[in-house]
Amino acid sequence: STAGLGVVTALPAGVMLRLRFQKSGHNFEFPILLSPVLDPYVIAGAHIFPPAIIYAVLHGIVSPAARALHIRRTSVLRAKQIESVQRELESSLEAIEMIRHVAERKMRREAELLSAPPSVGSDQAGLVIAKALYGDAELLKDDRIQVETFDACIVRSPEDIVQRGITCVDVTIPVAYACDKSSLEFHAGFPKSKLFGFFDPCPGREKVLVIFYRSAGRWLRVQLADTEGCRLPGGGRGRGMVLDAADAIVHMVLEPSLREYLDS
């Protein structure tokens, strides 16, 4: 639908205000005679007052009302999203507790393989998942992951989602659980939020999975898009970026995780 307004000045018609309205291909026009003669005051008023009134209505009433409606709808949608995320988080936390012991046992075995001498004829060299984070791609960029990020991604209760505004979560246990015989594989085309122990912490946003792992005596980092496939350890573009041993993340986060597996 469109609406328009015009002023016509002509002889012998005089000064006329025309209101036009179009909807579904139909045109409606409503002429309003302001003066039968060409009165300069009427002409000036016809060109000044209607546009001024329209401007005042649009910016003083329509725009604020539209903004308020948008804010209200956004708030309702956000509340529904938070409720949905909290339900998914409860299921995720329950799943993590179910697989925690199995995942930790797998990682202890992988840590032992890493520290043991290579075995002839064995293709299991050890693959330790030290940390894995999943969530908002913007917050998990290379230069934005700091030591503090790992603690900030730990979710202990559904209330954390609201109180702390969490959009990235720690998924170390589910990723470690998926590791089998020094190998980890994700199939392409399948959202990682649907994996066992995962959930979507930020609906509607681009998400990535970032894994910090140790293999072949090195600390590596890999970042995967939400539906990207991968096999670790392995080659390919962007697979296994080697971390500097002097990196704060390595000696303050990753090394302690490895020691914890070996000492448990």
Side-chain angles (χ1 to χ4, degrees):
S1 300
T2 58
L5 180 145
V7 177
V8 178
T9 56
L11 288 173
V15 183
M16 185 178 296
L17 185 68
R18 285 185 177 177
L19 303 177
R20 292 187 298 272
F21 182 72
Q22 184 179 36
K23 183 177 178 62
S24 302
H26 298 284
N27 296 316
F28 304 91
E29 187 170 298
F30 306 94
I32 302 174
L33 181 63
L34 299 179
S35 174
V37 297
L38 298 181
D39 188 325
Y41 295 103
V42 175
I43 295 175
H47 283 84
I48 294 173
F49 290 110
I53 293 172
I54 292 174
Y55 181 86
V57 170
L58 287 176
H59 292 271
I61 298 176
V62 176
S63 294
R67 284 195 298 270
L69 180 61
H70 175 72
I71 292 172
R72 186 160 57 249
R73 287 177 175 174
T74 302
S75 299
V76 171
L77 179 61
R78 178 58 180 163
K80 290 182 178 179
Q81 285 183 341
I82 289 175
E83 184 179 350
S84 174
V85 168
Q86 287 180 319
R87 286 197 303 268
E88 292 182 12
L89 173 57
E90 289 179 358
S91 300
S92 173
L93 292 175
E94 291 175 1
I96 287 174
E97 289 307 311
M98 289 174 55
I99 63 177
R100 181 180 297 277
H101 295 301
V102 175
E104 291 176 347
R105 186 169 65 247
K106 284 185 175 183
M107 288 302 98
R108 283 195 296 271
R109 173 58 179 162
E110 295 296 332
E112 291 170 357
L113 289 172
L114 278 176
S115 59
S119 177
V120 179
S122 174
D123 58 352
Q124 298 183 39
L127 173 65
V128 172
I129 307 299
K131 289 292 178 181
L133 305 177
Y134 176 69
D136 191 345
E138 186 65 25
L139 296 180
L140 292 180
K141 288 182 177 179
D142 295 357
D143 57 345
R144 299 196 65 173
I145 298 182
Q146 307 295 329
V147 172
E148 297 79 11
T149 306
F150 296 90
D151 288 334
C153 290
I154 296 176
V155 181
R156 297 180 176 84
S157 69
E159 289 71 25
D160 281 354
I161 294 292
V162 179
Q163 295 172 358
R164 294 163 51 197
I166 292 176
T167 55
C168 302
V169 292
D170 187 305
V171 289
T172 305
I173 293 298
V175 173
Y177 179 77
C179 183
D180 183 49
K181 297 179 180 179
S182 301
S183 178
L184 176 64
E185 183 173 5
F186 294 100
H187 297 286
F190 191 74
K192 294 173 180 58
S193 60
K194 303 300 182 183
L195 297 174
F196 192 70
F198 280 64
F199 77 102
D200 188 347
C202 51
R205 302 188 195 179
E206 181 184 359
K207 287 169 283 292
V208 295
L209 172 63
V210 182
I211 304 173
F212 295 86
Y213 65 100
R214 188 168 180 82
S215 177
R218 300 178 300 175
W219 284 110
L220 301 102
R221 173 191 185 279
V222 65
Q223 177 174 307
L224 305 172
D226 200 25
T227 58
E228 184 179 358
C230 173
R231 183 179 180 86
L232 298 178
R237 179 181 59 84
R239 294 292 178 265
M241 182 183 74
V242 179
L243 299 178
D244 189 340
D247 194 313
I249 290 177
V250 171
H251 63 80
M252 294 183 67
V253 179
L254 307 184
E255 290 288 357
S257 295
L258 178 60
R259 287 195 296 269
E260 185 177 341
Y261 288 136
L262 291 172
D263 295 341
S264 59

